[in-house]
């Protein structure tokens, strides 16, 4: 059996880059505007993989933080 990381599992998903201020909000369950289509996205901050986020009605919320 092979273990696959979240990053590899969702590698075909588009990414959203957030800044450190948004990261703090994101990590604490806050939502903020993301002008993307509804769906699942890889979240990065300062070139570091943070995890998976979901955009719903132009609002990004945390799903899984690595």
């Amino acid at each position: 059996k092979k273990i696959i990381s979240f990053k590899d599992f969702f590698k075909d998903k588009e990414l959203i880059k957030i800044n450190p201020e948004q990261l703090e909000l994101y990590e604490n369950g806050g939502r903020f505007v993301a002008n993307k289509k509804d769906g699942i996205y890889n979240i990065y901050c300062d070139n570091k993989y943070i995890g998976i986020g979901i955009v719903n009605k132009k609002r990004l919320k945390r799903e899984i933080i690595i």
Side-chain angles (χ1 to χ4, degrees):
K1 295 182 180 182
K2 182 180 178 185
I3 296 175
I4 187 167
S5 70
F6 279 100
K7 186 176 176 180
D8 288 338
F9 187 79
F10 291 103
K11 67 183 175 188
D12 63 326
K13 300 296 181 186
E14 191 176 341
L15 68 89
I16 295 176
K17 293 181 181 180
I18 61 176
N19 62 45
E21 293 81 22
Q22 291 170 317
L23 177 60
E24 184 174 347
L25 181 63
Y26 180 83
E27 289 177 327
N28 289 300
R31 296 175 185 213
F32 52 91
V33 174
N35 289 317
K36 300 283 187 176
K37 292 193 280 184
D38 289 359
I40 298 171
Y41 291 83
N42 288 302
I43 308 301
Y44 282 80
C45 182
D46 294 332
N47 294 318
K48 179 181 174 194
Y49 184 67
I50 304 302
I52 303 301
I54 294 177
V55 172
N56 184 12
K57 298 179 184 173
K58 304 282 185 196
R59 307 284 291 175
L60 173 64
K61 73 170 192 157
R62 143 184 110 175
E63 185 59 28
I64 298 170
I65 296 177
I66 304 297

